Amino acid sequence: MDIGSISMIVVLGMIVLLAIGMPLGFASAVLALLVLVLKFEPTILTAPWTIGDGMLTGNPGTGALYLLTQKIFDLMTEYVLISVPLFIFMAALLERSGIAKEMYNALDFWLARVRGGVAIVTSLMAVIMAAMSGIIGGEVVLLGLIALPQMLRLGYNQNLAIGTICASGSLGTMIPPSIVLIIYGLITETSIKALFTGAFVPGFMLASMIIIYILIRVNLDHSQAPLPEDPPDGGISEVGISAAPKLVFSALWTAFTVMLLTLLVGWILTVSIPTLGEMVAGRPKTVIFGFIITGLMFLMSRSGKGQAFLAFLSVLGAGFAALLLARVLFFTIFGQNILEEGEDPIVMGMPHHIPYIAGAVAIGLALAFGLFGARRTAIGWEHGKGLVPPITVIGVVLGSIYGGITGITEAAGMGAFAVLVIALLRGEASVGLLWDAMMRTLKSTGTIIWVTIGAAALAGAYTLAGGPNYIANLIVGSEMPTMLVLLTMMLILLFMGAFMDWVGIVLLIIPVFLPIVKRLPIEEIGLIGTLDPKHVSVWFGVLFCMNMQVSFLSPPFGPAAFYLKSVAPPHITLVDIFKGFLPFIGVQLLALSVLLIWPSIVTLLL
């Protein structure tokens, strides 16, 4: 049978099997077997008594069936795949311990006087949780248990509360260490570390868009998020506002503003201003980052609570630098940073790093106890210490990856161990906690693995039948403009995301779409900036993940709605939930459009 007819049968068969309630993994496996039969031995259906004489059954252990089983075996034995249950286990521990609750209380204290503060706290908490584990369902459930009652009690608009929780809770798709990115990297043989790096800016861009939308909405209509009558002060009024931090951060911000203006003048006039222009020309990212950070610090230093928070961050930074200093001293004393020929230097672990790290410790302590003062620093620490465990876990996971210490799998194991140690130190670890976390890990991993096996079988069978080449020739031969091809792909992914799980989509659709994208003229991808050909797979992976963000909210089967419904009050129906996050789908589509229009945003940190 020709591949065009087989393609139609696969599409119709998938719709029918899913409609009658067959799990995606089994539906995919059935269709994989059907594709092999139709392509290589259709006589099994038309003349079953001839079994044993065809291409599939004539020589067991060879041919298409052998290649397919080998593909599935290779996928299931990928070392990186072990990171999936480890991240799920970490998320399960976080959900059942009190770490998330304390983090929420700490964030709530700092943003209590901001209109819409609880909604912003919910979004920030979702970002931190996404950076810890990359799991989506647990985030929505946890935010529904902690944040939803709080927002409803304070009189927040119900739709705003629902949309904030579901949209923010699905950020685990985009923000590293995302399991979606891990599976995409495995299937497409793309560097997972590069995918994580590429997803940083778009992920935080989406989170920022959600927060900006919340701020605009609540400030245009104050009834959406009333201010609390008596927000906690926490002793901030006793220490007041110091003038010294304002002067220091104002000077720093002014310095970076001058450097940024110098950079802009050099770009516009294509000239270099002597000395200063030469100094900043090669460091545009550093200048822009410094301008943003010092600007935020200056704004925070203008209030008593902001100064206390900066004091807390100073202590936290000094503590982190002290750990790095202890590490590099250990390496130096025992000779572990003496490099053999051809070895790469240890990131922040060489002897010449000691003065810089020691200087960072000194600066942090000087800011905390000199500039801000011991009393203000103590208040900041008291109300900010709930953020220390989550930041520690993020540092362990992402720091070990980007510091070149471990790979993805080892980082996942270290993160899970770190959460377990924190739970032990807090006195929350128990046999019941571990058992519940392991059972949830087993169920979630089992679901992902079975869908992976089934979808990999179907994708492999369709590839052997020549499906990807058929689709690629069909699309490329249609002579559609490049951006129209990409828009068509996005619409297909959005449609499928409304009905299928992301695991099935990444295994079934991406092996077909990615080769087509690689064949498109690179100069026609996007409208702003240019994309390096070697980064096409990374860009399309991040674009796919952004698309899957929308699928988690898309009616009628958006999983985020069902996760929230499982913990929402009885008066909140599924219809209410879907209505609540419709505006947030618009925000996600805007972020998706930015990635299509400006693809090089993905490569800013690569």
Side-chain angles (χ1 to χ4, degrees), residues 39-84:
K39 183 64 180 179
F40 298 105
E41 196 171 339
T43 55
I44 291 179
L45 300 177
T46 58
W49 55 86
T50 62
I51 290 177
D53 299 329
M55 292 178 65
L56 286 181
T57 59
N59 296 296
T62 62
L65 200 57
Y66 169 75
L67 292 174
L68 184 61
T69 53
Q70 187 63 43
K71 174 184 173 66
I72 296 172
F73 178 80
D74 290 343
L75 179 61
M76 288 296 101
T77 53
E78 280 281 359
Y79 182 60
V80 178
L81 200 61
I82 302 173
S83 66
V84 174

Side-chain angles (χ1 to χ4, degrees), residues 60-114:
T62 62
L65 200 57
Y66 169 75
L67 292 174
L68 184 61
T69 53
Q70 187 63 43
K71 174 184 173 66
I72 296 172
F73 178 80
D74 290 343
L75 179 61
M76 288 296 101
T77 53
E78 280 281 359
Y79 182 60
V80 178
L81 200 61
I82 302 173
S83 66
V84 174
L86 289 171
F87 280 126
I88 295 173
F89 179 65
M90 189 195 317
L93 286 175
L94 286 169
E95 184 180 335
R96 284 158 176 76
S97 67
I99 297 172
K101 179 65 176 175
E102 280 201 14
M103 175 174 63
Y104 181 85
N105 291 336
L107 290 171
D108 187 43
F109 170 79
W110 297 113
L111 293 169
R113 293 182 181 272
V114 178

Side-chain angles (χ1 to χ4, degrees), residues 90 94 99-100 103-104 106-107 120-134 139 143 168 171-172 175-177 204 207 309 386-395 398:
M90 189 195 317
L94 286 169
I99 297 172
M103 175 174 63
Y104 181 85
L107 290 171
I120 297 170
V121 165
T122 302
S123 298
L124 292 174
M125 181 175 171
V127 171
I128 295 172
M129 291 180 64
M132 283 195 286
S133 65
E139 283 186 38
L143 293 173
S168 302
L171 286 170
I175 295 176
F204 287 102
F309 186 67
L387 299 174
V388 175
I391 292 173
T392 302
V393 175
I394 293 171
L398 297 182

Side-chain angles (χ1 to χ4, degrees), residues 87 122-136 139 167-182 192 195-208 210-211 394 397-398 401-402 541-542 545-546 549 552:
F87 280 126
T122 302
S123 298
L124 292 174
M125 181 175 171
V127 171
I128 295 172
M129 291 180 64
M132 283 195 286
S133 65
I135 306 297
I136 298 138
E139 283 186 38
S168 302
S170 61
L171 286 170
T173 309
M174 281 297 301
I175 295 176
S178 163
I179 288 183
V180 182
L181 288 170
I182 292 173
I192 296 174
L195 286 167
F196 282 2
T197 306
F200 257 113
V201 175
F204 287 102
M205 176 191 72
L206 177 58
S208 301
I210 291 172
I211 293 172
I394 293 171
V397 176
L398 297 182
I401 294 172
Y402 290 102
V542 177
C545 284
M546 187 69 80
Q549 281 278 141
F552 279 101

Side-chain angles (χ1 to χ4, degrees), residues 5 22 36 61 76 80 136 150 172 180 222 224 340 342 400 409 447 449 456 551 590:
S5 302
M22 181 177 286
L36 289 178
M76 288 296 101
V80 178
I136 298 138
Q150 176 80 341
V180 182
H222 291 180
Q224 296 274 320
E340 301 290 339
S400 58
T409 304
T447 301
I449 292 300
S551 76
L590 177 62

